[in-house]
Amino acid sequence: MFLHGTSKVNEKNHLEIGGVDTVELAKQYGTPLYVYDVALIRERARSFRETFKRLNIAAQVAYASKAFSTIAMVQLAHEEGLSLDVVSGGELFTAIQAGFPVERIHFHGNNKSYEELDMAVKNNIGCIVVDNFYELSLLEQVCIENKTTMKILLRVTPGVEAHTHDYITTGQDDSKFGFGLENGQADQAVEQALHSEYLELLGIHSHIGSQIFETTGFLVAAGKMFGKLKDWKDRFGFAPKVLNLGGGFGIRYTEEDKPLPASKYVEAIIGEVKKHADDLSIDIPEIWIEPGRSIVGDAGTTIYSVGSRKEVPNIRQYIAIDGGMTDNIRPALYQAKYEAVLANRVEDPVEETVSIAGKCCESGDMLIWDLPLPKANSDDMLAVFCTGAYGYAMANNYNRIPRPAVVFVENGEAQLVVQRESYEDLVRLDIPLKSKIVD
Ligand SMILES: *Cc1c(COP(=O)(O)O)cnc(C)c1O
């Protein structure tokens, strides 16, 4: 069993996180329940920031809030000196409600609406990462109407795609995101941005994938970007103030996953950028990175109550819990794997191998296949580790299941940061028929 952060087994054989007994939390707040280890979030944030500081490189570490966007989380990111990525009006609204410093908010997305851009401009956010030509003109229009300017990065597709241990150079850039670096789009976008009186081009951005365990993909992407920066220096006299290399740093979900420490990714990126900046004789641009999963992923644990059991003789034991694809859609969406223990009997001996089923009306609603556990019954609670990223963020109300509550724990104290949805919440937006259809 692998325990993340402050998680440990207490004298009652219960899972404890942040000095708080998760079984007590489940009794107090109900299940399913997302529990976040705040100290671990702080540690993850600091490890990125401190590496830049140690190497004396100007940087912004922007938390990609799409991984887990709530007011409390955004406030925690602020406390830790992070910047913030948002990808929608809703995430921007959350950041503003949280009182996050607007000058450190960066707005991403491949189809920002007029209203979203207008909201960003009116709130004077730090930077918009422009994704395509449509947005370039739309944003200029919004700036003209607001009689103001906006700082931008251009998102480019460097023709590098990274995933876990592999990276591939895709040659031609078949992606819905960004300006193609190889096909002339990026050159044209740079020229257009440099000519605009309303847009201030800070630099370029790339994001090559997610759950990446190697540094190679980042270095290849940086190399390709610098190839173009050389052209742009010669053609336009343009030298970037900012180079943003995106997020995607991997975390450990199961023992198959072997992520690097944050410092290793950052050191490798800095080394590569320095080398290229030297070659070009330009100042080292400010380096921005955008970790999402690696800030909050392993800090989250979901506590469920065990319910029904179904045995398919000689084939499989199914154990069902009181949540599933509504609070964690990742296994159904992309066969994500997780580890889990019984929160109330952590170190009891393993007695059987079971598969953990969700409660939704979908055969695909399975959380974990083939999990070794003590013989679990309906008094037990299951703790699934590493659910902090893209869990609550992707939670939904399929089967009209209310979304769980979220609790932060730190130094022996628990704080409710998102309430559990009620049935009333579920029907709040519904409007009954005006007249009877059937007598
Ligand atoms: C999703 C995303 C991130 C964060 O990715 P993680 O895998 O959660 O680190 C960062 N930048 C951009 C542009 C993204 O789309």
Side-chain angles (χ1 to χ4, degrees):
M1 180 186 45
F2 182 93
L3 293 175
H4 300 260
T6 67
S7 294
K8 61 175 209 178
V9 185
N10 70 15
E11 65 288 348
K12 291 182 184 155
N13 198 15
H14 293 177
L15 177 67
E16 182 180 298
I17 306 175
V20 181
D21 187 323
T22 59
V23 176
E24 295 304 318
L25 283 175
K27 282 183 193 150
Q28 186 176 353
Y29 297 106
T31 56
L33 182 69
Y34 299 100
V35 180
Y36 279 84
D37 180 347
V38 173
L40 185 53
I41 297 176
R42 294 190 197 283
E43 186 184 319
R44 296 285 179 246
R46 286 171 197 178
S47 61
F48 281 108
R49 288 195 62 219
E50 280 166 5
T51 309
F52 284 108
K53 224 183 253 167
R54 172 162 54 79
L55 298 174
N56 199 21
I57 294 288
Q60 287 193 38
V61 177
Y63 166 57
S65 71
K66 72 177 187 209
F68 172 53
S69 168
T70 64
I71 287 177
M73 180 58 217
V74 169
Q75 289 172 330
L76 184 56
H78 178 26
E79 275 185 21
E80 288 304 322
L82 301 178
S83 298
L84 199 75
D85 274 9
V86 298
V87 296
S88 70
E91 286 181 6
L92 176 55
F93 183 77
T94 304
I96 290 166
Q97 291 291 304
F100 197 89
V102 285
E103 67 279 5
R104 293 214 315 274
I105 300 177
H106 313 153
F107 197 171
H108 278 275
N110 68 312
N111 187 23
K112 306 176 190 79
S113 67
Y114 177 92
E115 288 73 21
E116 287 174 324
L117 291 173
D118 189 59
M119 181 178 175
V121 167
K122 285 198 162 65
N123 281 287
N124 238 329
I125 71 163
C127 173
I128 292 182
V129 184
V130 175
D131 201 273
N132 51 64
F133 290 110
Y134 172 81
E135 184 182 345
L136 205 51
S137 3
L138 192 60
L139 177 59
E140 187 159 43
Q141 192 57 39
V142 170
C143 288
I144 290 171
E145 284 165 22
N146 283 281
K147 299 190 177 60
T148 184
T149 60
M150 179 48 78
K151 294 191 170 89
I152 65 165
L153 296 182
L154 295 174
R155 176 163 184 171
V156 300
T157 28
V160 175
E161 215 177 294
H163 204 76
T164 309
H165 291 294
D166 306 316
Y167 83 90
I168 39 171
T169 44
T170 53
Q172 60 114 8
D173 314 359
D174 185 4
S175 160
K176 78 166 184 175
F177 294 109
F179 297 96
L181 204 56
E182 315 277 348
N183 61 13
Q185 290 176 338
D187 309 76
Q188 194 190 327
V190 167
E191 191 165 16
Q192 212 169 304
L194 288 173
H195 278 122
S196 169
E197 287 170 45
Y198 294 91
L199 306 178
E200 182 190 339
L201 181 61
L202 294 182
I204 52 175
H205 165 277
S206 84
H207 172 73
I208 56 170
S210 209
Q211 187 63 351
I212 301 167
F213 294 147
E214 313 264 326
T215 58
T216 325
F218 293 102
L219 306 189
V220 174
K224 293 198 174 205
M225 288 159 92
F226 270 99
K228 277 292 170 189
L229 288 171
K230 178 167 173 13
D231 281 3
W232 299 335
K233 183 175 174 244
D234 297 343
R235 281 172 64 186
F236 313 122
F238 171 69
K241 291 195 185 107
V242 172
L243 189 70
N244 188 330
L245 287 163
F249 313 104
I251 66 168
R252 185 200 181 282
Y253 286 98
T254 70
E255 63 190 356
E256 291 161 28
D257 301 329
K258 299 188 169 62
L260 298 170
S263 58
K264 293 284 177 233
Y265 295 103
V266 172
E267 285 164 6
I269 286 171
I270 290 174
E272 190 74 5
V273 170
K274 268 189 172 163
K275 188 180 82 189
H276 289 290
D278 271 1
D279 286 350
L280 271 190
S281 330
I282 59 170
D283 292 338
I284 297 169
E286 211 174 291
I287 300 175
W288 295 5
I289 56 167
E290 308 176 313
R293 187 191 312 275
S294 53
I295 298 287
V296 291
D298 59 0
T301 303
T302 310
I303 312 293
Y304 299 97
S305 296
V306 171
S308 65
R309 172 190 284 268
K310 175 190 170 176
E311 179 175 359
V312 184
N314 305 318
I315 297 185
R316 191 176 294 284
Q317 290 278 354
Y318 287 93
I319 287 192
I321 42 84
D322 56 352
M325 64 189 286
T326 41
D327 56 81
N328 186 356
I329 202 171
R330 296 186 68 255
L333 200 58
Y334 25 67
Q335 290 78 52
K337 298 208 167 39
Y338 290 91
E339 291 177 347
V341 297
L342 291 181
N344 57 320
R345 296 198 278 135
V346 186
E347 288 183 327
D348 278 12
V350 167
E351 292 165 294
E352 57 179 356
T353 297
V354 298
S355 291
I356 306 297
K359 65 178 279 154
C360 293
C361 282
E362 284 284 327
S363 295
D365 180 24
M366 293 293 301
L367 275 192
I368 303 176
W369 294 98
D370 302 323
L371 175 71
L373 274 189
K375 203 136 192 127
N377 61 54
S378 58
D379 296 327
D380 288 322
M381 284 171 193
L382 186 76
V384 178
F385 297 118
C386 248
T387 58
Y390 308 104
Y392 180 76
M394 289 187 171
N396 60 82
N397 293 126
Y398 181 52
N399 292 165
R400 289 236 145 168
I401 293 172
R403 285 177 299 171
V406 183
V407 168
F408 276 11
V409 290
E410 187 176 29
N411 298 329
E413 284 184 25
Q415 189 188 149
L416 185 68
V417 296
V418 181
Q419 290 180 43
R420 183 175 303 282
E421 264 179 338
S422 66
Y423 290 140
E424 285 72 27
D425 291 330
L426 292 174
V427 297
R428 194 173 50 212
L429 303 177
D430 289 13
I431 300 169
L433 282 175
K434 276 197 183 117
S435 56
K436 268 199 273 185
I437 295 178
V438 191
D439 278 318

